[in-house]
Amino acid sequence: MLATLLTTALTVSAEATGEEAPAPTIAPPFVIGITLFVVFVVLLFVTLSYTNLGRRHEAIDEHADPHRQHPNKHDRHQGAPSH
């Protein structure tokens, strides 16, 4: 409701003066664009820095631990003695 009241008040004041004032900005558009581009490039480098986490070393098979509280039911009987 507050947004509606503010919009109505701004519309009435703009009609009373006969001209529309441009919306105020904190900086020129090209400065805002460059700043956003730099932020996205930094986020790109942060994302790319995590791409090699899966390639650090070879994966090893986890051994079946019979003392775990919730043992893995899909261990393919690695801990069972062979007959």
Side-chain angles (χ1 to χ4, degrees):
M1 182 166 163
L2 182 62
T4 306
L5 289 174
L6 288 175
T7 305
T8 305
L10 290 175
T11 304
V12 169
S13 65
E15 289 175 358
T17 60
E19 59 188 49
E20 290 188 28
T25 58
I26 59 172
F30 67 90
V31 174
I32 294 173
I34 291 171
T35 304
L36 286 174
F37 179 76
V38 169
V39 167
F40 283 126
V41 168
V42 168
L43 289 174
L44 171 74
F45 285 126
V46 168
T47 303
L48 289 177
S49 69
Y50 285 100
T51 58
N52 65 350
L53 289 180
R55 294 182 240 155
R56 287 189 178 173
H57 54 77
E58 291 296 320
I60 57 171
D61 289 334
E62 182 181 350
H63 67 283
D65 186 5
H67 300 291
R68 284 203 319 211
Q69 185 174 2
H70 300 288
N72 185 4
K73 295 188 181 348
H74 306 287
D75 64 355
R76 299 183 187 95
H77 306 290
Q78 295 168 351
S82 59
H83 296 285

Coordinates of all heavy atoms in Angstrom, one line a residue:
M1 N 0.8 -1.2 0.0 CA 0.0 0.0 0.0 C 0.9 1.2 0.0 O 0.5 2.2 -0.6 CB -0.9 0.0 1.2 CG -1.8 1.1 1.3 SD -3.1 0.8 2.5 CE -3.7 2.4 2.7
L2 N 2.0 1.2 0.7 CA 2.9 2.3 0.7 C 3.5 2.6 -0.6 O 3.6 3.8 -1.0 CB 4.0 2.1 1.7 CG 5.0 3.2 1.9 CD1 4.3 4.4 2.5 CD2 6.1 2.8 2.8
A3 N 3.8 1.6 -1.4 CA 4.3 1.8 -2.7 C 3.2 2.4 -3.6 O 3.6 3.3 -4.5 CB 4.7 0.4 -3.3
T4 N 2.0 2.1 -3.5 CA 0.9 2.7 -4.3 C 0.8 4.2 -3.9 O 0.6 5.0 -4.8 CB -0.4 2.0 -4.0 OG1 -0.2 0.6 -4.2 CG2 -1.5 2.5 -4.9
L5 N 0.9 4.5 -2.7 CA 0.8 5.9 -2.2 C 1.9 6.7 -2.8 O 1.8 7.8 -3.2 CB 0.7 6.0 -0.7 CG -0.6 5.5 -0.1 CD1 -0.5 5.5 1.4 CD2 -1.8 6.3 -0.5
L6 N 3.1 6.1 -2.7 CA 4.3 6.9 -3.2 C 4.2 7.1 -4.7 O 4.5 8.1 -5.2 CB 5.6 6.1 -2.8 CG 6.0 6.2 -1.4 CD1 7.2 5.3 -1.1 CD2 6.3 7.6 -0.9
T7 N 3.8 6.0 -5.4 CA 3.7 6.2 -6.9 C 2.6 7.2 -7.2 O 2.9 8.0 -8.1 CB 3.3 4.8 -7.5 OG1 4.2 3.8 -7.1 CG2 3.2 4.9 -9.0
T8 N 1.5 7.2 -6.5 CA 0.5 8.2 -6.8 C 1.0 9.6 -6.5 O 0.8 10.6 -7.3 CB -0.8 7.9 -5.9 OG1 -1.2 6.6 -6.2 CG2 -1.9 8.9 -6.3
A9 N 1.7 9.8 -5.4 CA 2.2 11.1 -5.0 C 3.2 11.6 -6.0 O 3.2 12.8 -6.4 CB 2.9 11.0 -3.6
L10 N 4.1 10.7 -6.5 CA 5.1 11.1 -7.5 C 4.4 11.4 -8.9 O 4.8 12.4 -9.5 CB 6.1 10.0 -7.7 CG 7.1 9.8 -6.6 CD1 8.0 8.6 -6.8 CD2 7.9 11.0 -6.4
T11 N 3.4 10.7 -9.2 CA 2.7 11.0 -10.5 C 2.0 12.3 -10.4 O 2.0 13.1 -11.3 CB 1.6 9.9 -10.7 OG1 2.3 8.6 -10.7 CG2 0.9 10.1 -12.1
V12 N 1.3 12.6 -9.3 CA 0.6 13.9 -9.1 C 1.6 15.0 -9.1 O 1.4 16.1 -9.7 CB -0.2 13.9 -7.8 CG1 -0.7 15.2 -7.5 CG2 -1.4 12.9 -7.9
S13 N 2.7 14.9 -8.4 CA 3.7 16.0 -8.4 C 4.3 16.2 -9.8 O 4.7 17.3 -10.2 CB 4.8 15.7 -7.4 OG 5.6 14.6 -7.7
A14 N 4.5 15.1 -10.6 CA 5.1 15.2 -11.9 C 4.1 15.9 -12.8 O 4.5 16.7 -13.7 CB 5.5 13.9 -12.5
E15 N 2.8 15.6 -12.7 CA 1.8 16.2 -13.5 C 1.6 17.7 -13.1 O 1.3 18.5 -14.0 CB 0.5 15.5 -13.4 CG 0.5 14.1 -14.0 CD -0.8 13.4 -13.7 OE1 -1.7 13.9 -13.0 OE2 -1.0 12.3 -14.3
A16 N 1.8 18.0 -11.9 CA 1.7 19.4 -11.5 C 2.8 20.3 -12.0 O 2.6 21.5 -12.4 CB 1.7 19.5 -9.9
T17 N 4.0 19.8 -12.2 CA 5.1 20.6 -12.7 C 5.1 20.6 -14.2 O 5.7 21.4 -14.8 CB 6.5 20.0 -12.2 OG1 6.6 18.7 -12.6 CG2 6.6 20.1 -10.7
G18 N 4.5 19.6 -14.8 CA 4.4 19.6 -16.3 C 5.5 18.8 -16.9 O 5.6 18.7 -18.2
E19 N 6.5 18.4 -16.2 CA 7.6 17.7 -16.8 C 8.1 16.6 -15.9 O 7.8 16.6 -14.7 CB 8.8 18.6 -17.0 CG 9.3 19.3 -15.7 CD 10.3 20.4 -16.0 OE1 10.1 21.2 -16.9 OE2 11.4 20.3 -15.3
E20 N 8.6 15.5 -16.5 CA 9.1 14.4 -15.7 C 10.6 14.5 -15.4 O 11.4 14.8 -16.3 CB 8.8 13.1 -16.4 CG 7.4 12.8 -16.5 CD 7.2 11.4 -17.0 OE1 8.0 10.5 -16.8 OE2 6.1 11.1 -17.6
A21 N 10.9 14.4 -14.2 CA 12.4 14.5 -13.8 C 12.9 13.1 -13.9 O 12.3 12.1 -13.6 CB 12.5 15.0 -12.4
P22 N 14.2 13.0 -14.5 CA 14.8 11.6 -14.5 C 15.0 11.1 -13.2 O 15.3 11.8 -12.2 CB 16.1 11.9 -15.3 CG 16.4 13.3 -15.1 CD 15.0 14.0 -15.0
A23 N 15.0 9.8 -13.1 CA 15.3 9.1 -11.8 C 16.7 9.3 -11.4 O 17.6 9.3 -12.2 CB 15.0 7.6 -11.9
P24 N 17.0 9.6 -10.1 CA 18.3 9.8 -9.7 C 19.1 8.5 -9.7 O 18.6 7.5 -9.3 CB 18.2 10.4 -8.3 CG 16.8 9.9 -7.8 CD 16.0 9.8 -9.1
T25 N 20.4 8.6 -10.0 CA 21.2 7.4 -10.0 C 22.5 7.7 -9.2 O 22.8 8.9 -9.0 CB 21.7 7.0 -11.4 OG1 22.3 8.1 -12.0 CG2 20.5 6.5 -12.2
I26 N 23.1 6.7 -8.7 CA 24.3 6.9 -7.9 C 25.6 7.2 -8.7 O 26.5 7.7 -8.2 CB 24.6 5.7 -6.9 CG1 24.8 4.4 -7.7 CG2 23.4 5.5 -5.9 CD1 25.2 3.3 -6.9
A27 N 25.5 6.8 -10.0 CA 26.7 7.1 -10.9 C 26.1 7.0 -12.3 O 25.0 6.6 -12.6 CB 27.7 6.0 -10.7
P28 N 27.0 7.5 -13.2 CA 26.5 7.4 -14.7 C 26.4 5.9 -15.1 O 27.0 5.0 -14.5 CB 27.7 8.0 -15.4 CG 28.4 8.9 -14.4 CD 28.2 8.2 -13.1
P29 N 25.6 5.7 -16.1 CA 25.3 4.3 -16.5 C 26.5 3.5 -16.9 O 26.6 2.3 -16.5 CB 24.4 4.5 -17.7 CG 23.7 5.8 -17.5 CD 24.7 6.6 -16.8
F30 N 27.5 4.1 -17.5 CA 28.7 3.4 -17.9 C 29.5 2.9 -16.7 O 30.1 1.9 -16.7 CB 29.6 4.1 -18.9 CG 30.2 5.4 -18.4 CD1 31.5 5.3 -17.8 CD2 29.6 6.6 -18.4 CE1 32.0 6.4 -17.3 CE2 30.2 7.7 -17.9 CZ 31.4 7.7 -17.3
V31 N 29.5 3.7 -15.6 CA 30.2 3.3 -14.4 C 29.5 2.1 -13.7 O 30.2 1.2 -13.3 CB 30.3 4.5 -13.4 CG1 30.9 4.1 -12.1 CG2 31.1 5.7 -14.0
I32 N 28.2 2.2 -13.7 CA 27.5 1.0 -13.1 C 27.7 -0.2 -14.0 O 27.9 -1.3 -13.5 CB 26.0 1.4 -13.1 CG1 25.8 2.5 -12.1 CG2 25.2 0.2 -12.7 CD1 24.4 3.1 -12.0
G33 N 27.7 -0.1 -15.3 CA 28.0 -1.2 -16.2 C 29.3 -1.8 -16.0 O 29.5 -3.0 -15.9
I34 N 30.4 -1.0 -15.9 CA 31.7 -1.4 -15.7 C 31.9 -2.1 -14.4 O 32.5 -3.2 -14.2 CB 32.7 -0.3 -15.9 CG1 32.8 0.2 -17.3 CG2 34.1 -0.7 -15.4 CD1 33.6 1.4 -17.5
T35 N 31.2 -1.6 -13.3 CA 31.3 -2.2 -12.0 C 30.7 -3.5 -12.0 O 31.2 -4.5 -11.5 CB 30.6 -1.3 -11.0 OG1 31.2 0.0 -11.0 CG2 30.7 -1.8 -9.6
L36 N 29.5 -3.7 -12.6 CA 28.8 -5.0 -12.7 C 29.7 -6.0 -13.5 O 29.8 -7.1 -13.1 CB 27.4 -4.8 -13.3 CG 26.4 -4.2 -12.4 CD1 25.1 -4.0 -13.2 CD2 26.1 -5.1 -11.2
F37 N 30.3 -5.5 -14.6 CA 31.2 -6.4 -15.4 C 32.3 -6.9 -14.5 O 32.6 -8.1 -14.6 CB 31.7 -5.7 -16.6 CG 32.6 -6.5 -17.4 CD1 32.1 -7.5 -18.3 CD2 33.9 -6.3 -17.4 CE1 32.9 -8.2 -19.0 CE2 34.8 -7.0 -18.2 CZ 34.3 -8.0 -19.0
V38 N 32.9 -6.0 -13.8 CA 34.1 -6.4 -12.9 C 33.6 -7.4 -11.8 O 34.3 -8.4 -11.6 CB 34.7 -5.2 -12.3 CG1 35.7 -5.6 -11.2 CG2 35.4 -4.4 -13.3
V39 N 32.4 -7.2 -11.3 CA 31.9 -8.1 -10.2 C 31.7 -9.5 -10.9 O 32.1 -10.5 -10.3 CB 30.6 -7.6 -9.6 CG1 29.9 -8.6 -8.8 CG2 30.9 -6.4 -8.8
F40 N 31.1 -9.5 -12.0 CA 30.8 -10.8 -12.7 C 32.1 -11.5 -13.1 O 32.2 -12.8 -13.1 CB 29.9 -10.7 -13.9 CG 28.4 -10.5 -13.5 CD1 27.7 -9.4 -13.9 CD2 27.8 -11.4 -12.6 CE1 26.4 -9.3 -13.5 CE2 26.5 -11.3 -12.2 CZ 25.8 -10.2 -12.7
V41 N 33.1 -10.8 -13.5 CA 34.4 -11.4 -13.9 C 35.1 -12.0 -12.6 O 35.6 -13.1 -12.7 CB 35.3 -10.4 -14.5 CG1 36.8 -10.9 -14.6 CG2 34.8 -10.1 -15.9
V42 N 35.0 -11.3 -11.5 CA 35.5 -11.9 -10.2 C 34.8 -13.1 -9.9 O 35.4 -14.1 -9.5 CB 35.4 -10.8 -9.1 CG1 35.7 -11.4 -7.7 CG2 36.4 -9.7 -9.4
L43 N 33.4 -13.1 -10.0 CA 32.7 -14.3 -9.7 C 33.0 -15.5 -10.7 O 33.0 -16.6 -10.3 CB 31.2 -14.0 -9.8 CG 30.6 -13.2 -8.6 CD1 29.2 -12.8 -8.9 CD2 30.8 -13.9 -7.3
L44 N 33.3 -15.1 -11.9 CA 33.8 -16.1 -12.9 C 35.1 -16.8 -12.4 O 35.2 -18.0 -12.5 CB 33.9 -15.5 -14.3 CG 34.6 -16.4 -15.3 CD1 33.6 -17.4 -15.8 CD2 35.1 -15.5 -16.5
F45 N 36.0 -16.0 -12.0 CA 37.3 -16.6 -11.5 C 37.1 -17.4 -10.2 O 37.8 -18.4 -10.1 CB 38.3 -15.5 -11.3 CG 38.9 -14.9 -12.6 CD1 38.8 -13.6 -12.9 CD2 39.4 -15.8 -13.6 CE1 39.3 -13.1 -14.1 CE2 39.9 -15.3 -14.8 CZ 39.9 -13.9 -15.0
V46 N 36.2 -17.0 -9.4 CA 36.0 -17.8 -8.2 C 35.4 -19.1 -8.6 O 35.8 -20.2 -8.1 CB 35.0 -17.0 -7.2 CG1 34.5 -17.9 -6.1 CG2 35.7 -15.8 -6.6
T47 N 34.4 -19.1 -9.5 CA 33.9 -20.4 -10.0 C 34.9 -21.2 -10.7 O 35.0 -22.4 -10.4 CB 32.7 -20.1 -11.0 OG1 31.7 -19.2 -10.3 CG2 32.0 -21.3 -11.5
L48 N 35.7 -20.7 -11.5 CA 36.8 -21.4 -12.2 C 37.8 -22.0 -11.3 O 38.4 -23.0 -11.5 CB 37.4 -20.6 -13.3 CG 36.6 -20.3 -14.5 CD1 37.3 -19.4 -15.5 CD2 36.1 -21.5 -15.2
S49 N 38.0 -21.4 -10.1 CA 39.0 -21.9 -9.2 C 38.6 -23.2 -8.5 O 39.4 -23.9 -8.0 CB 39.3 -20.8 -8.1 OG 38.2 -20.7 -7.2
Y50 N 37.3 -23.5 -8.6 CA 36.8 -24.7 -8.0 C 36.7 -25.9 -9.0 O 36.4 -27.0 -8.7 CB 35.4 -24.5 -7.4 CG 35.5 -23.8 -6.1 CD1 35.2 -22.4 -6.0 CD2 35.9 -24.4 -4.9 CE1 35.3 -21.8 -4.8 CE2 35.9 -23.8 -3.7 CZ 35.6 -22.4 -3.7 OH 35.7 -21.7 -2.5
T51 N 37.1 -25.6 -10.3 CA 36.9 -26.7 -11.3 C 37.9 -27.8 -11.1 O 37.7 -28.9 -11.6 CB 37.0 -26.1 -12.7 OG1 38.3 -25.5 -12.8 CG2 35.9 -25.1 -13.0
N52 N 39.1 -27.6 -10.5 CA 40.1 -28.6 -10.4 C 40.0 -29.4 -9.2 O 40.8 -30.3 -8.9 CB 41.5 -28.0 -10.5 CG 41.8 -27.1 -9.4 OD1 40.9 -26.8 -8.6 ND2 43.0 -26.7 -9.3
L53 N 39.0 -29.2 -8.4 CA 38.9 -30.0 -7.1 C 38.7 -31.5 -7.3 O 39.2 -32.3 -6.6 CB 37.7 -29.5 -6.3 CG 37.9 -28.1 -5.6 CD1 36.7 -27.7 -4.8 CD2 39.1 -28.1 -4.7
G54 N 38.0 -31.9 -8.4 CA 37.8 -33.3 -8.7 C 39.0 -33.9 -9.3 O 39.1 -35.1 -9.5
R55 N 40.0 -33.2 -9.7 CA 41.2 -33.7 -10.4 C 42.5 -33.7 -9.6 O 43.6 -33.8 -10.1 CB 41.4 -32.9 -11.7 CG 40.3 -33.1 -12.7 CD 40.6 -32.4 -13.9 NE 39.5 -31.4 -14.1 CZ 39.6 -30.3 -14.8 NH1 40.7 -30.0 -15.3 NH2 38.5 -29.5 -14.9
R56 N 42.3 -33.6 -8.3 CA 43.5 -33.5 -7.4 C 44.3 -34.8 -7.3 O 45.5 -34.8 -7.3 CB 43.2 -33.0 -6.0 CG 42.8 -31.5 -6.0 CD 42.7 -31.1 -4.6 NE 42.4 -29.6 -4.6 CZ 42.1 -29.0 -3.5 NH1 42.0 -29.6 -2.4 NH2 41.8 -27.7 -3.6
H57 N 43.6 -35.9 -7.2 CA 44.2 -37.2 -7.0 C 43.2 -38.3 -7.5 O 42.1 -38.0 -7.7 CB 44.6 -37.5 -5.6 CG 43.5 -37.3 -4.6 ND1 42.5 -38.2 -4.4 CD2 43.2 -36.3 -3.8 CE1 41.7 -37.8 -3.5 NE2 42.1 -36.7 -3.1
E58 N 43.8 -39.4 -7.7 CA 42.9 -40.5 -8.1 C 42.0 -40.9 -7.0 O 42.4 -41.0 -5.9 CB 43.8 -41.7 -8.6 CG 44.6 -41.5 -9.8 CD 43.7 -41.2 -11.0 OE1 42.7 -41.9 -11.2 OE2 44.0 -40.4 -11.8
A59 N 40.8 -41.3 -7.4 CA 39.8 -41.7 -6.4 C 40.2 -43.2 -5.9 O 40.6 -44.0 -6.7 CB 38.4 -41.8 -7.0
I60 N 40.0 -43.4 -4.6 CA 40.3 -44.7 -4.1 C 39.0 -45.3 -3.6 O 38.1 -44.5 -3.1 CB 41.4 -44.7 -3.0 CG1 40.9 -43.7 -1.9 CG2 42.7 -44.2 -3.5 CD1 41.8 -43.8 -0.6
D61 N 38.9 -46.6 -3.6 CA 37.7 -47.2 -3.1 C 37.6 -47.2 -1.6 O 38.7 -47.4 -1.0 CB 37.6 -48.7 -3.6 CG 37.4 -48.8 -5.1 OD1 36.7 -47.9 -5.6 OD2 37.8 -49.8 -5.7
E62 N 36.5 -46.9 -1.1 CA 36.3 -46.9 0.3 C 36.1 -48.3 0.9 O 35.4 -49.1 0.3 CB 35.1 -46.1 0.7 CG 34.8 -46.0 2.2 CD 33.6 -45.2 2.5 OE1 33.0 -44.6 1.6 OE2 33.2 -45.2 3.7
H63 N 36.9 -48.7 1.9 CA 36.8 -50.0 2.4 C 35.5 -50.1 3.3 O 35.1 -49.1 3.9 CB 38.0 -50.4 3.3 CG 38.1 -49.6 4.5 ND1 38.6 -48.3 4.5 CD2 37.8 -49.9 5.8 CE1 38.6 -47.9 5.8 NE2 38.1 -48.8 6.6
A64 N 35.0 -51.3 3.4 CA 33.8 -51.5 4.2 C 34.2 -51.6 5.7 O 35.0 -52.5 6.1 CB 33.1 -52.8 3.8
D65 N 33.7 -50.7 6.5 CA 34.0 -50.7 7.9 C 32.8 -51.3 8.7 O 31.7 -50.7 8.7 CB 34.2 -49.3 8.4 CG 34.7 -49.2 9.8 OD1 34.9 -50.2 10.4 OD2 34.8 -48.0 10.3
P66 N 33.0 -52.5 9.2 CA 31.9 -53.2 9.9 C 31.4 -52.4 11.2 O 30.4 -52.7 11.8 CB 32.4 -54.6 10.2 CG 33.9 -54.4 10.3 CD 34.2 -53.3 9.3
H67 N 32.2 -51.5 11.7 CA 31.9 -50.8 13.0 C 31.2 -49.5 12.8 O 31.0 -48.8 13.7 CB 33.2 -50.6 13.7 CG 34.0 -51.8 14.0 ND1 33.5 -52.7 14.9 CD2 35.1 -52.3 13.5 CE1 34.4 -53.8 15.0 NE2 35.3 -53.5 14.1
R68 N 30.8 -49.2 11.5 CA 30.1 -47.9 11.3 C 28.7 -48.1 11.8 O 28.1 -49.2 11.8 CB 30.0 -47.6 9.8 CG 31.3 -47.0 9.3 CD 31.2 -46.2 8.1 NE 30.3 -46.6 7.1 CZ 30.5 -46.4 5.8 NH1 31.5 -45.8 5.4 NH2 29.6 -46.8 4.9
Q69 N 28.1 -47.0 12.3 CA 26.8 -47.0 12.9 C 25.7 -47.4 11.8 O 24.8 -48.1 12.1 CB 26.5 -45.7 13.6 CG 25.2 -45.7 14.3 CD 24.9 -44.4 15.1 OE1 25.7 -43.5 15.0 NE2 23.8 -44.3 15.7
H70 N 25.9 -46.8 10.6 CA 24.9 -47.0 9.5 C 25.8 -47.5 8.4 O 26.2 -46.8 7.5 CB 24.2 -45.8 9.2 CG 23.4 -45.2 10.3 ND1 22.2 -45.8 10.7 CD2 23.6 -44.1 11.0 CE1 21.7 -45.1 11.7 NE2 22.5 -44.0 11.9
P71 N 26.0 -48.8 8.3 CA 26.9 -49.3 7.2 C 26.2 -49.1 5.9 O 25.0 -49.2 5.7 CB 27.1 -50.8 7.6 CG 25.9 -51.1 8.5 CD 25.6 -49.9 9.2
N72 N 27.1 -49.0 4.9 CA 26.6 -48.8 3.5 C 26.1 -50.2 3.0 O 26.7 -51.2 3.1 CB 27.8 -48.4 2.7 CG 27.4 -48.1 1.2 OD1 26.2 -48.2 0.9 ND2 28.4 -47.8 0.4
K73 N 24.8 -50.2 2.6 CA 24.2 -51.4 2.1 C 24.6 -51.8 0.7 O 24.3 -52.8 0.2 CB 22.7 -51.4 2.2 CG 22.2 -51.2 3.6 CD 20.7 -51.4 3.7 CE 20.1 -51.2 5.0 NZ 20.8 -51.3 6.2
H74 N 25.4 -50.9 0.0 CA 25.8 -51.1 -1.3 C 27.3 -51.3 -1.4 O 27.9 -50.9 -2.3 CB 25.4 -49.9 -2.2 CG 23.9 -49.6 -2.1 ND1 23.0 -50.4 -2.7 CD2 23.3 -48.6 -1.5 CE1 21.8 -49.9 -2.4 NE2 21.9 -48.8 -1.7
D75 N 27.9 -52.0 -0.5 CA 29.4 -52.1 -0.4 C 29.9 -53.3 -1.3 O 31.1 -53.6 -1.3 CB 29.9 -52.2 1.0 CG 29.4 -53.4 1.7 OD1 28.6 -54.2 1.1 OD2 29.8 -53.7 2.9
R76 N 29.0 -54.0 -1.9 CA 29.3 -55.2 -2.7 C 30.1 -56.2 -1.9 O 31.0 -56.9 -2.5 CB 30.1 -54.7 -4.0 CG 29.4 -53.8 -4.9 CD 30.2 -53.5 -6.1 NE 29.6 -52.4 -6.9 CZ 29.8 -51.1 -6.8 NH1 30.7 -50.7 -5.9 NH2 29.2 -50.3 -7.5
H77 N 29.8 -56.4 -0.7 CA 30.3 -57.4 0.2 C 31.8 -57.3 0.3 O 32.5 -58.3 0.3 CB 29.9 -58.8 -0.2 CG 28.4 -58.9 -0.3 ND1 27.6 -58.9 0.8 CD2 27.6 -59.0 -1.4 CE1 26.3 -59.0 0.4 NE2 26.3 -59.0 -0.9
Q78 N 32.4 -56.1 0.4 CA 33.9 -56.0 0.4 C 34.4 -56.5 1.8 O 35.5 -56.9 1.9 CB 34.2 -54.5 0.2 CG 33.9 -54.1 -1.2 CD 34.0 -52.6 -1.3 OE1 34.2 -51.9 -0.3 NE2 33.9 -52.0 -2.5
G79 N 33.6 -56.4 2.8 CA 34.1 -56.7 4.2 C 33.8 -58.2 4.5 O 34.2 -58.7 5.5
A80 N 33.0 -58.9 3.7 CA 32.6 -60.3 3.9 C 33.8 -61.2 3.6 O 34.5 -61.0 2.6 CB 31.4 -60.6 3.1
P81 N 34.0 -62.2 4.4 CA 35.1 -63.1 4.1 C 34.8 -63.9 2.9 O 33.6 -64.3 2.6 CB 35.2 -64.0 5.4 CG 33.8 -63.9 6.0 CD 33.3 -62.5 5.6
S82 N 35.8 -64.2 2.1 CA 35.6 -65.0 0.9 C 35.6 -66.4 1.2 O 36.3 -66.9 2.0 CB 36.7 -64.6 -0.1 OG 37.9 -65.0 0.4
H83 N 34.8 -67.2 0.5 CA 34.6 -68.6 0.7 C 35.6 -69.4 -0.1 O 35.9 -69.3 -1.2 CB 33.2 -69.1 0.4 CG 32.2 -68.5 1.3 ND1 32.1 -68.9 2.6 CD2 31.3 -67.5 1.1 CE1 31.1 -68.1 3.2 NE2 30.6 -67.3 2.3

